[in-house]
Amino acid sequence: MMTRFIVCIGISLFLCSCSSTKNWQGTSNSQVAQAEFKELNGKQTFTLHVPDNDTYLAYQFKETDGQLEAIIKSASERIFDQKIESSEADSFHLVNQKGAEYKVTIKGKHASGAFYVRFESSK
């Protein structure tokens, strides 16, 4: 009986620690991750795969309320990791990385805003 109670409490705590978001409107696939959102609490992670040997990974992050942090990393390095104060936009040139995996993580505390991360063939 006590074991069941402890398991129920553990599951409840786990579920409470998950992400929650209001008004999430976005799409993602292996080439693009984008969304507009309100009240992001927790984190969302997206996986992108480099489509060509010579491409750019372009990003735009916008925070309109709360605290927002964005991370872009490959298996070997973090190419972007910072708190977003209002907006950040740039791109990184990727050479000979076709098929490589990049993770985009958005972390928020009562955060509202938008992001757009995509591959572009040229600058």
Side-chain angles (χ1 to χ4, degrees), residues 19 29 42 55 60 81 104 121:
S19 293
N29 59 44
T55 190
Q60 181 177 13
D81 184 352
V104 177
S121 58

Short mmCIF file of all heavy atoms in Angstrom, two decimals, residues 19 29 42 55 60 81 104 121:
data_model
loop_
_atom_site.label_atom_id
_atom_site.label_comp_id
_atom_site.label_asym_id
_atom_site.label_seq_id
_atom_site.Cartn_x
_atom_site.Cartn_y
_atom_site.Cartn_z
N SER A 19 7.00 20.27 -19.49
CA SER A 19 6.75 21.57 -20.12
C SER A 19 5.25 21.83 -20.25
O SER A 19 4.47 20.91 -20.43
CB SER A 19 7.36 21.60 -21.51
OG SER A 19 8.75 21.57 -21.43
N ASN A 29 10.15 19.81 -38.81
CA ASN A 29 10.53 18.62 -39.55
C ASN A 29 12.05 18.55 -39.51
O ASN A 29 12.68 19.27 -38.74
CB ASN A 29 9.95 18.63 -40.98
CG ASN A 29 10.40 19.83 -41.79
OD1 ASN A 29 11.58 20.21 -41.79
ND2 ASN A 29 9.46 20.44 -42.51
N GLY A 42 9.28 25.39 -19.05
CA GLY A 42 9.97 24.13 -19.30
C GLY A 42 10.78 24.24 -20.57
O GLY A 42 11.28 25.32 -20.90
N THR A 55 25.79 24.52 -46.62
CA THR A 55 24.51 25.15 -46.28
C THR A 55 24.70 26.08 -45.09
O THR A 55 25.77 26.10 -44.47
CB THR A 55 23.45 24.07 -45.97
OG1 THR A 55 22.17 24.69 -45.86
CG2 THR A 55 23.76 23.32 -44.69
N GLN A 60 16.36 32.66 -35.77
CA GLN A 60 15.79 33.89 -35.24
C GLN A 60 15.01 33.52 -33.98
O GLN A 60 14.14 32.65 -34.03
CB GLN A 60 14.89 34.56 -36.25
CG GLN A 60 14.30 35.86 -35.75
CD GLN A 60 13.45 36.56 -36.80
OE1 GLN A 60 13.11 35.99 -37.83
NE2 GLN A 60 13.12 37.80 -36.53
N ASP A 81 24.14 29.48 -27.49
CA ASP A 81 23.64 29.18 -26.15
C ASP A 81 23.55 30.50 -25.38
O ASP A 81 24.56 31.00 -24.90
CB ASP A 81 24.58 28.21 -25.43
CG ASP A 81 24.06 27.79 -24.06
OD1 ASP A 81 23.05 28.35 -23.59
OD2 ASP A 81 24.66 26.88 -23.47
N VAL A 104 17.93 21.75 -31.37
CA VAL A 104 17.49 23.10 -31.02
C VAL A 104 16.64 22.96 -29.77
O VAL A 104 15.63 22.25 -29.78
CB VAL A 104 16.66 23.74 -32.16
CG1 VAL A 104 16.17 25.12 -31.75
CG2 VAL A 104 17.47 23.79 -33.44
N SER A 121 20.24 27.51 -48.46
CA SER A 121 21.28 27.08 -49.40
C SER A 121 22.36 28.11 -49.62
O SER A 121 23.48 27.77 -49.93
CB SER A 121 20.65 26.67 -50.74
OG SER A 121 19.93 27.76 -51.26
#
